[in-house]
Amino acid sequence: MSEFRKAIKTLEFDKITSLLADCAATEGAKLMAKQLTPEADVVRVKRRQNETAAAKYLIMKKTLPSFGAVKDVSGSIERA
C-alpha cells in the first residue's frame, strides 16, 4: 500500500467525507463530497484555501444562503 493510501486510511478520510456528505443539500453535492481526495499540488491547495476563505467571509457577512429549493438539473444539462 502506498504511503498516500496508508495516510488516507489512517486519518479515516472516508469518515470525514461521509460527515461532509451528510451536510450537503443535494444528492449531487453528496456524491461530490464523498469523492473528494486530498490535494498535493501546492498551487491548487492555495487556490482552494482562498476560495474557502472567500466563501466563509461571505457567509459571515451576508449569512448562509438557503439551498432548500435547489434541484438537480444534471439530467437536463445532459439532454441539452
Side-chain angles (χ1 to χ4, degrees):
M1 179 182 296
S2 73
E3 291 297 317
F4 184 71
R5 294 270 179 225
K6 184 177 179 183
I8 289 174
K9 184 175 177 155
T10 301
L11 295 172
E12 298 181 330
F13 194 76
D14 60 326
K15 291 181 182 178
I16 295 167
T17 55
S18 289
L19 288 171
L20 178 62
D22 290 343
C23 297
T26 65
E27 289 304 314
K30 289 178 190 294
L31 181 62
M32 288 174 67
K34 288 181 180 179
Q35 292 176 342
L36 285 173
T37 57
E39 181 63 66
D41 180 25
V42 175
V43 173
R44 287 185 185 151
V45 170
K46 288 184 186 264
R47 186 183 74 231
R48 290 180 181 174
Q49 285 177 330
N50 288 337
E51 290 172 358
T52 301
K56 181 180 175 187
Y57 173 78
L58 288 174
I59 289 169
M60 299 298 284
K61 190 84 171 166
K62 306 281 185 180
T63 72
L64 186 64
S66 173
F67 292 107
V70 173
K71 295 181 180 157
D72 183 10
V73 295
S74 58
S76 298
I77 292 171
E78 285 181 30
R79 287 190 298 277

